[in-house]
Amino acid sequence: MSTQAYCHFCDDIRYEVGNKNSLIGLYSSELFVEQIPIAIPKLCVIAFISAPLDNPMTSLTLKVILGDEVLSETRVPDEFIKETVSSIRAKSTPTDEYTKILIGVNTILCPLLLDREGVLKVVAIADSTEIVAGKLRIKLSEDKK
């Protein structure tokens, strides 16, 4: 198993009782806007990066990129990764074995200013290996062209 990453794009992330996230206004692969330029009040990204527990990442950075512009860059503290790996290993038992580490990173772009159509790309950098977690294509609505 190798390191993997995926993400979801949505309008809001709400934190719920019981260690849950609710994703509001979940997008698929495209976001249609009524006009360009436009200010989207809030766009959220929830990304997950997983790695084998026997070969976990030691560093992790998440970037949100539009074209050539980095809109957001979040570095997960190395100590947090170490503590998470230790915690997961401590929970593992012969009858309930944990085999991977999963780290979630939430990013809120507030506001997201757009002056053109484009592709919003989320890239995870785990131990200097870049992994595309997901893309959201931002397009002008067909009836507005």
Side-chain angles (χ1 to χ4, degrees):
M1 178 185 355
S2 61
T3 301
Q4 300 175 332
Y6 64 94
C7 72
H8 297 291
F9 298 91
C10 59
D11 290 328
D12 198 11
I13 302 169
R14 303 214 179 128
Y15 305 99
E16 307 287 348
V17 173
N19 199 25
K20 297 183 291 184
N21 289 320
S22 290
L23 307 182
I24 309 301
L26 192 63
Y27 292 96
S28 56
S29 61
E30 298 173 324
L31 166 61
F32 292 101
V33 295
E34 296 295 314
Q35 66 186 39
I36 293 179
I38 192 168
I40 297 175
K42 185 188 225 183
L43 184 72
C44 301
V45 178
I46 183 167
F48 296 96
I49 303 86
S50 68
L53 193 54
D54 60 358
N55 187 25
M57 69 207 81
T58 58
S59 67
L60 179 61
T61 301
L62 191 81
K63 292 183 181 182
V64 180
I65 303 165
L66 180 61
D68 295 329
E69 181 183 0
V70 176
L71 302 179
S72 174
E73 184 170 337
T74 304
R75 178 163 171 75
V76 177
D78 296 348
E79 191 59 35
F80 176 81
I81 297 170
K82 281 184 196 175
E83 289 172 4
T84 301
V85 169
S86 294
S87 173
I88 292 170
R89 285 183 175 150
K91 292 177 186 179
S92 193
T93 67
T95 58
D96 187 15
E97 183 180 9
Y98 285 70
T99 59
K100 66 181 178 179
I101 177 176
L102 181 67
I103 293 180
V105 179
N106 296 349
T107 302
I108 299 172
L109 304 169
C110 185
L112 174 59
L113 305 174
L114 300 170
D115 61 359
R116 65 190 179 285
E117 293 180 306
V119 177
L120 195 62
K121 182 169 63 170
V122 177
V123 177
I125 303 157
D127 294 335
S128 73
T129 300
E130 289 195 9
I131 306 159
V132 176
K135 296 179 182 178
L136 181 66
R137 288 146 191 89
I138 300 169
K139 298 180 176 182
L140 188 60
S141 294
E142 288 295 322
D143 61 336
K144 300 297 179 179
K145 288 186 177 181

